[in-house]
Amino acid sequence: MAKKQHRDRVQQQKEPQTAGTLMKLFFLISFVVLGLFVFNDMPINWILGVYIIDILVSLVYVAFNRNRITTSDVVHTNVRRIVSFLIMLITMFFYAFALWRVDQYTTQMQVTLFIGGVIIYYAVFNSTKTALKRK
């Protein structure tokens, strides 16, 4: 019998995970601050300020890394995280606005909105694994 020829495995250089960890931490802190502002009935300007900061940080990250989105796994994952978080924020905003319009914006509905927001985040994040990749 002929022996199988084993190919040497090409060692791929690991990308630093610092940016991914910082993005996770930033969005977690932002989500907690948003929850604190909503549940403590802070002025709407503060809540919208959190939204604007999230959007600006996201746009800056994407602008600096736009050339690496399809080639770098770390940047690809962070962009998926950004898209998921922004879709979650937009969805939560419009549901909160609709509840406020029909006078149903209670504490129970706020809790439901935040739980639904987490579900939306993970649903979008998990469904976009290959959305931005080149084949």
Side-chain angles (χ1 to χ4, degrees):
M1 262 207 224
K3 287 187 175 182
K4 289 185 180 179
Q5 298 266 340
H6 292 286
R7 288 188 186 178
D8 289 334
R9 192 170 178 184
V10 177
Q11 187 75 16
Q12 289 184 348
Q13 186 177 3
K14 283 195 165 203
E15 293 184 82
Q17 297 290 330
T18 308
T21 304
L22 288 175
M23 291 300 285
K24 281 186 215 176
L25 188 62
F26 173 75
F27 285 140
L28 176 66
I29 291 170
S30 174
F31 190 72
V32 169
V33 167
L34 187 63
L36 289 173
F37 285 178
V38 167
F39 290 117
N40 289 323
D41 294 324
M42 298 298 275
I44 192 73
N45 293 341
W46 290 38
I47 296 169
L48 293 177
V50 172
Y51 273 66
I52 290 171
I53 290 170
D54 291 338
I55 292 169
L56 288 177
V57 168
S58 301
L59 287 175
V60 166
Y61 182 83
V62 171
F64 281 132
N65 294 298
R66 69 179 177 267
N67 296 333
R68 297 178 49 215
I69 290 173
T70 57
T71 58
S72 169
D73 287 335
V74 173
V75 174
H76 178 260
T77 303
N78 287 338
V79 170
R80 286 177 43 223
R81 189 170 285 120
I82 287 169
V83 168
S84 302
F85 194 77
L86 293 180
I87 288 174
M88 177 199 71
L89 285 180
I90 292 167
T91 305
M92 287 175 62
F93 173 79
F94 283 109
Y95 271 111
F97 184 67
L99 288 169
W100 174 75
R101 293 270 302 170
V102 295
D103 203 27
Q104 296 287 322
Y105 193 67
T106 61
T107 304
Q108 294 85 3
M109 292 310 293
Q110 290 172 345
V111 171
T112 304
L113 274 174
F114 276 84
I115 292 170
V118 171
I119 292 169
I120 290 168
Y121 172 82
Y122 282 111
V124 173
F125 184 73
N126 288 328
S127 66
T128 57
K129 286 183 181 174
T130 58
L132 303 172
K133 286 280 191 177
R134 285 191 181 155
K135 293 181 180 182

